[in-house]
């Protein structure tokens, strides 16, 4: 099953998929109480996605340090629709506002006015965060500003570089 590596801004990471080394508030937010969440983007690469597809998150626009691959989730489902329709369906899962989802809507083409929602679960943090240079060792034309397809062998190598045990069949 094909997957994706997607850019996600630091401000969304902190609320959507907090990392273990972050200070947590005394009371968790509504989003942090759930294991599933929704990520929105332009519907440019999604045709080969299916339930269980890996979604690698590449954190961008960091306040400190360089951008890096920080973790992976598993796709539960995806949908391409008008931003209002996506928020009606997945709005309680994500941290994006209507204006932010509208900003991901396509400006032209078959999906004009539509955005993509990726409903994911089973997020796990990378043991070793991967900067762009390490990712380009696996994906030479990796562009950290856009989503990119990842095939099964590339996903396996990214997992290995990120410090996960890839010798077992279990995702966890």
């Amino acid at each position: 099953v094909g997957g994706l590596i997607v850019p996600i801004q630091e401000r969304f990471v902190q609320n959507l998929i907090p990392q273990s080394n972050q200070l947590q508030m005394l009371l968790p937010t509504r989003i942090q109480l759930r294991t599933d969440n929704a990520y929105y983007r332009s519907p440019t690469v999604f045709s080969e996605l299916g339930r269980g597809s890996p979604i690698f998150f590449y954190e961008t626009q960091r306040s400190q340090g360089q951008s890096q691959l920080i973790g992976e989730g598993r796709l539960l489902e995806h949908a391409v629709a008008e931003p209002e329709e996506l928020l009606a369906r997945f709005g309680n899962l994500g941290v994006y506002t209507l204006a932010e989802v509208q900003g991901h809507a396509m400006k032209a083409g078959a999906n004009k006015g539509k955005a993509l929602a990726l409903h994911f679960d089973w997020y796990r943090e990378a043991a070793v965060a991967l900067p762009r240079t390490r990712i380009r060792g696996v994906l030479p034309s990796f562009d950290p500003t856009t989503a990119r397809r990842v095939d099964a062998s590339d996903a396996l190598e990214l997992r290995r570089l990120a410090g996960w045990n890839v010798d077992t069949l279990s995702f966890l």
Side-chain angles (χ1 to χ4, degrees), residues 55-75:
I55 307 297
F56 292 95
F57 291 94
Y58 184 82
E59 184 181 33
T60 63
Q61 299 181 1
R62 300 188 60 196
S63 57
Q64 295 179 17
Q66 60 184 323
S67 296
Q68 56 195 5
L69 186 146
I70 57 163
E72 174 188 10
R74 289 296 170 144
L75 185 68

Side-chain angles (χ1 to χ4, degrees), residues 9 12 18 22-23 25 28 33 42 44 47-48 57 72 93 97 100 109 116 132 139 141 147-148 157 170:
Q9 294 176 11
F12 293 120
Q22 282 181 296
L23 291 175
M25 292 183 282
L33 292 172
S42 298
T44 54
S47 62
E48 297 176 15
F57 291 94
E72 174 188 10
L93 299 175
T97 65
E100 289 163 339
L116 169 67
R132 178 180 51 213
L139 306 167
S141 60
R148 180 198 164 105
E157 186 58 23
S170 171

Side-chain angles (χ1 to χ4, degrees), residues 1-4 45-55 73-79 116-121 149-150:
V1 176
L4 292 177
V45 288
F46 65 91
S47 62
E48 297 176 15
L49 295 178
R51 184 175 180 87
S53 291
I55 307 297
R74 289 296 170 144
L75 185 68
L76 294 174
E77 63 180 317
H78 69 282
L116 169 67
L118 299 172
H119 179 199
F120 70 94
D121 201 351
R149 287 189 178 101
V150 177

Side-chain angles (χ1 to χ4, degrees), residues 1-5 52-56 69 72-74 124 126 128 130 134-135 137-139 149-171:
V1 176
L4 292 177
I5 183 169
S53 291
I55 307 297
F56 292 95
L69 186 146
E72 174 188 10
R74 289 296 170 144
R124 64 179 177 169
V128 177
L130 300 177
R134 299 277 319 269
I135 296 169
V138 178
L139 306 167
R149 287 189 178 101
V150 177
D151 66 25
S153 63
D154 292 338
L156 186 64
E157 186 58 23
L158 288 172
R159 290 183 191 115
R160 182 176 285 115
L161 290 172
W164 291 310
N165 180 358
V166 295
D167 295 328
T168 63
L169 294 176
S170 171
F171 176 69

Side-chain angles (χ1 to χ4, degrees), residues 8 11-17 29-32 37-40 87 90-98 100-101:
I8 184 168
R11 66 189 176 110
F12 293 120
V13 170
Q14 292 174 352
N15 292 312
L16 192 61
I17 47 178
T29 66
R30 174 187 53 80
I31 290 295
Q32 292 169 347
N37 284 297
Y39 167 86
Y40 299 93
L87 280 178
F90 300 110
N92 66 326
L93 299 175
V95 294
Y96 295 78
T97 65
L98 176 59
E100 289 163 339
V101 177

